[in-house]
Amino acid sequence: MTNLAIAASGLRKSYRDKTGEKVVLDGIDLAVPEGTIFSLLGPNGAGKTTTVQILSTLIAPDAGDVQVAGHDLARNPDDVRGAIGVTGQCSAVDKLLTGRENLLLMANLKHLPKAEGKRKADELLERFDLVEAAGKPASTYSGGMQRRLDLAMTLVGDPRLIFLDEPTTGLDPRSRRAMWQIVRELVATGVTIFLTTQYLEEADQLADHIALLDQGRLIAQGTANELKRLIPGGHVTLRFTDEAPLKNALDVLGQGFLDTSDDARLTLQVPNDGSVAALRGLLAQLEAARIEPAELSVHTPDLDDVFLTLTGQRNDQKQETV
C-alpha cells in the first residue's frame, strides 16, 4: 500500500464578512502519495491558498480529519511543522541580507549547529546556482534568483513534504522552466511536492496527480490525461480573410462555431479529433466546394480546456454557437 504524505477527509473552512458566512472549503478529500507531485488548480478565490494554509498549520480548519507527513494535524501540529517546508506566494527572503545570510538565518531558526548551518548554506548555494551571488544583497537578485533562494531557504531543514504556493508567478519562461527542473530533482530524491499554480502548463508538465477546486469543492481529480478525457474532443480552427468564404464553410460543413472576439474574428472552429482521417475528410469537403481558408490549426484538449469547461468559464467567452 502506498504511503500518503497527506490524507484529508471532510476538510471545511468558512469566514464571516459583512455579507454573512462565506464557505471557502466545503468538505474536500485529499490523498497525496509520498514522493509525488500533487497539483491543486482552481480559479482565483477557489480556496487553493486556504488549503495550503490549513495543511501547513497556519490556520485551523473548521472540520475535517487530516494527516500530514504521518502526523495528526489537530493533535500534533508541531510535528507537522517539523516535517514540512513552505514556499508561499510572498517571498520569505530578507532583501537587506545577502543570499548566504538568508540561508544562515534560516539555519539558526532551525537550531542547526553553526558548522552544520554553514555546510548546509554552502550546499544549497551550489545546488541552486547562487554561489557567485552569495555575498550580494538579495535586493540585487532577479526574480528567478529570489525564488530559487526562497526555495533553498525552505530546504534548510530537509523537509520531506514541501508546499509550493504559486512558486513561479511573475517569472519569465526561462526562470519558470529552471524552477520546474529543481522541482523534478527534489521529487527524484523522494520529496513530496504539493503545488498550487495559475499556470496550467506547469501542472501538465509536473504533476503526477491533479485536483481541480472550484467554489470550495473538488470537482475533478486524476492525471493530466485522465482529466483531458473528461471533456469532448478537439477542434480545427479555420481562419478566413473575409466573411464570404467563412459563411460558405459554415454551409458546407454544417457544424462549428464562430469566435466573435476582436482578436479572433473571421475564424471558424469545427469539432474534430485531429486524426489524419478526420482532417482528410474536412479538407476534402472544403476543396470540393472550392473553399480555401487562409490558415488552419488543429487543437486537441489540454488543461486549459478542462479548466474552462469544468469551472464553467467557457460560457463566459464571447462565442456564437452554430
Side-chain angles (χ1 to χ4, degrees):
M1 181 177 178
T2 303
N3 292 327
L4 295 179
I6 299 173
S9 61
L11 196 59
R12 296 180 181 275
K13 185 66 179 180
S14 62
Y15 296 98
R16 283 197 167 275
D17 58 21
K18 295 179 180 179
T19 62
E21 186 177 47
K22 179 181 179 181
V23 177
V24 182
L25 297 177
D26 192 9
I28 69 171
D29 302 329
L30 297 171
V32 181
E34 292 180 349
T36 65
I37 302 176
F38 181 95
S39 183
L40 186 63
L41 303 179
N44 290 334
K48 302 187 300 297
T49 296
T50 298
T51 301
V52 170
Q53 289 175 333
I54 289 174
L55 296 176
S56 59
T57 77
L58 294 177
I59 60 175
D62 296 333
D65 296 318
V66 186
Q67 296 281 325
V68 177
H71 305 290
D72 186 277
L73 185 70
R75 295 188 181 93
N76 308 110
D78 287 341
D79 291 333
V80 171
R81 295 185 192 108
I84 67 173
V86 181
T87 299
Q89 294 181 34
C90 298
S91 175
V93 172
D94 187 328
K95 295 182 181 180
L96 297 179
L97 301 180
T98 67
R100 184 184 301 279
E101 288 169 342
N102 269 283
L103 290 169
L104 292 175
L105 173 62
M106 187 59 64
N108 287 335
L109 293 174
K110 292 289 185 179
H111 304 293
L112 296 183
K114 188 173 182 179
E116 173 64 13
K118 183 179 182 302
R119 184 198 65 78
K120 193 69 178 178
D122 290 340
E123 173 192 313
L124 290 168
L125 289 167
E126 178 73 31
R127 182 175 182 179
F128 286 83
D129 193 24
L130 293 170
V131 174
E132 292 186 5
K136 299 177 182 178
S139 60
T140 65
Y141 287 16
S142 67
M145 292 171 66
Q146 288 189 23
R147 291 307 274 172
R148 295 205 308 275
L149 177 59
D150 201 12
L151 183 53
M153 292 167 63
T154 300
L155 295 179
V156 168
D158 291 320
R160 304 309 294 169
L161 168 61
I162 299 176
F163 293 94
L164 299 180
D165 192 11
E166 301 186 9
T168 62
T169 297
L171 297 187
D172 61 79
R174 178 177 294 180
S175 297
R176 187 175 301 133
R177 291 180 184 277
M179 185 65 75
W180 292 357
Q181 184 58 36
I182 290 171
V183 169
R184 292 188 182 103
E185 291 170 358
L186 287 171
V187 175
T189 67
V191 173
T192 305
I193 301 291
F194 189 102
L195 170 72
T196 73
T197 178
Q198 294 185 20
Y199 300 109
L200 302 186
E201 180 193 9
E202 189 161 87
D204 203 353
Q205 287 283 333
L206 294 176
D208 300 296
H209 192 90
I210 298 169
L212 185 56
L213 187 66
D214 190 30
Q215 297 182 6
R217 295 186 177 186
L218 289 178
I219 58 176
Q221 292 193 60
T223 65
N225 287 334
E226 288 170 344
L227 292 180
K228 292 171 188 176
R229 289 196 291 268
L230 293 177
I231 62 173
H235 61 264
V236 171
T237 297
L238 305 173
R239 186 181 296 276
F240 298 87
T241 55
D242 57 62
E243 293 186 3
L246 174 61
K247 292 180 179 178
N248 289 340
L250 272 172
D251 292 337
V252 169
L253 299 175
Q255 61 177 338
F257 60 85
L258 300 172
D259 191 330
T260 60
S261 58
D262 290 340
D263 60 348
R265 294 187 64 238
L266 300 177
T267 63
L268 175 65
Q269 294 185 3
V270 183
N272 191 291
D273 63 11
S275 66
V276 172
L279 286 173
R280 186 182 292 119
L282 173 66
L283 292 173
Q285 285 181 280
L286 294 174
E287 185 176 3
R290 297 187 177 183
I291 300 171
E292 185 172 343
E295 297 177 19
L296 180 150
S297 60
V298 180
H299 180 88
T300 54
D302 57 21
L303 284 183
D304 282 27
D305 298 305
V306 174
F307 183 89
L308 293 171
T309 300
L310 295 184
T311 61
Q313 293 189 34
R314 188 175 295 283
N315 295 331
D316 296 333
Q317 295 180 347
K318 297 179 180 180
Q319 294 175 335
E320 177 186 349
T321 303
V322 179

